[in-house]
Amino acid sequence: MIPKLAIHHLTLLSAIQETGSMTLSAARLGITQSAASHRLREAERRVGLTLVQRGESGLHLTSGGERLRRLGETFLAELFRLEQELEASEQEKRILVRLGQATYSRFHWFPAFLEYLEKEDRGLTVDLSASATSHPLASLVNGSVDVSLFFGREPAHAQFTSVKLGSDPIVAVMSRHHALAAEPVVNSLNMGDERFFVYPLAAEPGFDWTTLLGPPVEPFRRLTSMPTPEAVIDLVRANFGVALFSQWAIEPELADGTLVARPIADEGMFLDWWCVRRASDPDDSPAALLADALLTWSRLSDRALSTLGFGAEEPTAENMS
C-alpha cells in the first residue's frame, strides 16, 4: 500500500510546527508561499483531515497533523540514516554507527576516540546525533542513535544493554574571579544570594539535579533556569553566577583557566556514566562493536575516557584550580 503523503508534505508539517507561519515555512523550504499553501491543501485532501489550524499565536498542527509530523520525522531520520550508512559502506567499506550523548553537546573528547578507532580499524564510521542530547534513551528506542552515553543510574529496562564507563565528579563551576572561587567547597550553605544557574539534564523521567543528588541543604535563593548547559557556561565564564556540571563537560575551560571547579561536598559527589545500546542488537552488531571500542579505549587511556576526565583524581580545591 502506497502512503498518501509524500516527503514534501511531511517536511512542510515540520516547518509549520517549528515556525507557526506559512511564510516562514515556505522560506525555510525554499518555495513560494502559494506553493506551500497548495502543498498543505493537497496533503489535507489526500488524508481527508484538517492538518493545520490558525490560532492567536499563528498556525499550529491539529492532533492528526502532529501525529503525522512526529511519525514523519522518525521516518525521515531513518531514511537519512540509511542513506548515510549505504553511502559510507559503498565509499569506505565501513559501517555507519550513530552515537549520542546525554545533556552535554560537548565533544572535545571525540577526536581522540576517532583516532583510536582508526588505528583499531574496526570497520566503523561514527556519526554524532543531536537527538540523544535531550532524549538519550528514547533516541535508542526510535533508532535515531545506536549507542548513547548516559549518566546516573544504570538504565534498568530490559530493552537496553549498558556498560559502565566510569564515574565523574559533579562540581560547582564559576569564574576564577568569583568570590566563591576561594572556598574549598561550594554548595547551598555558602552560596547566599549568589545567582545559581540550572539547565535541563536528559529529558527522561526522573533526571534532574534534586533527583540525582538529593535536595540542597539550604534552598538556593537566586535560581535561574537556562535552556542549555552551553548558555550557562557562557554566563558563568563572564562571572554572572555559579552552576553544577559533570566535571568532564567543562574541562576545556578548566584547562585554559577561564573557569574553576570546586567540590560540592567534603568527600565529593560523583555520577556514573554508561554506554547504552539496544539489547536487541546482537553482540557482533555495529552498535556492540562501537560500545566495546568506547569501553576498551576508556580503559587503555591513562585518564580513562581521556579528555572526558573519567579516572582523574578525586576533586579537591588543589586539582580543580
Side-chain angles (χ1 to χ4, degrees), residues 107-126:
F107 292 94
H108 43 274
W109 59 271
F110 192 56
F113 173 67
L114 284 184
E115 183 178 358
Y116 163 79
L117 199 61
E118 286 289 331
K119 291 178 180 178
E120 285 289 294
D121 192 23
R122 300 195 180 203
L124 302 177
T125 296
V126 183

Side-chain angles (χ1 to χ4, degrees), residues 123-175:
L124 302 177
T125 296
V126 183
D127 184 33
L128 297 177
S129 172
S131 65
T133 304
S134 56
H135 299 91
L137 298 182
S139 296
L140 283 170
V141 174
N142 67 30
S144 58
V145 300
D146 303 298
V147 177
S148 274
L149 301 183
F150 187 75
F151 60 86
R153 299 177 298 274
E154 179 180 10
H157 201 286
Q159 66 191 121
F160 302 121
T161 294
S162 55
V163 61
K164 183 178 175 180
L165 292 176
S167 295
D168 194 58
I170 294 297
V171 292
V173 179
M174 66 218 75
S175 161

Side-chain angles (χ1 to χ4, degrees), residues 4 19 26-27 30-31 41 52 54-55 85 109-110 119 172-173 175 192 195 198 208 220 253 268-269 271 284 303 313:
K4 295 180 179 179
T19 66
I31 59 178
R41 289 195 298 270
V52 175
R54 181 174 295 279
E85 183 176 336
W109 59 271
F110 192 56
K119 291 178 180 178
V173 179
S175 161
R195 187 179 301 280
V198 295
D208 54 59
F220 292 106
E253 289 74 20
M269 283 194 175
L271 279 183
D284 60 350
R303 292 191 58 202
E313 298 176 70

Side-chain angles (χ1 to χ4, degrees), residues 44-219:
E44 292 181 329
R45 183 191 68 78
R46 290 191 182 193
V47 298
L49 294 172
T50 299
L51 301 177
V52 175
Q53 292 179 335
R54 181 174 295 279
E56 294 181 0
S57 59
L59 300 180
H60 64 273
L61 302 184
T62 63
S63 59
E66 174 59 22
R67 289 182 63 191
L68 284 170
R69 179 202 65 81
R70 187 169 59 251
L71 293 174
E73 287 187 352
T74 299
F75 163 75
L76 292 175
E78 280 297 292
L79 181 61
F80 178 66
R81 177 174 176 268
L82 178 59
E83 289 176 346
Q84 285 185 308
E85 183 176 336
L86 292 174
E87 182 178 354
S89 298
E90 179 63 26
Q91 292 182 356
E92 305 178 27
K93 305 305 179 185
R94 289 172 173 266
I95 300 173
L96 181 70
V97 191
R98 305 199 71 185
L99 174 65
Q101 175 178 276
T103 296
Y104 301 113
S105 299
R106 312 214 84 196
F107 292 94
H108 43 274
W109 59 271
F110 192 56
F113 173 67
L114 284 184
E115 183 178 358
Y116 163 79
L117 199 61
E118 286 289 331
K119 291 178 180 178
E120 285 289 294
D121 192 23
R122 300 195 180 203
L124 302 177
T125 296
V126 183
D127 184 33
L128 297 177
S129 172
S131 65
T133 304
S134 56
H135 299 91
L137 298 182
S139 296
L140 283 170
V141 174
N142 67 30
S144 58
V145 300
D146 303 298
V147 177
S148 274
L149 301 183
F150 187 75
F151 60 86
R153 299 177 298 274
E154 179 180 10
H157 201 286
Q159 66 191 121
F160 302 121
T161 294
S162 55
V163 61
K164 183 178 175 180
L165 292 176
S167 295
D168 194 58
I170 294 297
V171 292
V173 179
M174 66 218 75
S175 161
R176 66 168 46 255
H177 304 296
H178 197 284
L180 289 174
E183 298 288 335
V185 173
V186 173
N187 53 34
S188 63
L189 288 174
N190 56 3
M191 278 281 289
D193 290 324
E194 294 292 337
R195 187 179 301 280
F196 178 58
F197 290 107
V198 295
Y199 52 87
L201 298 180
E204 307 283 1
F207 279 85
D208 54 59
W209 288 122
T210 302
T211 302
L212 292 173
L213 303 180
V217 179
E218 295 287 341

Side-chain angles (χ1 to χ4, degrees), residues 297-304 306 310-311:
W297 177 59
S298 72
R299 290 176 175 173
L300 288 175
S301 171
D302 60 353
R303 292 191 58 202
S306 189
F310 298 156

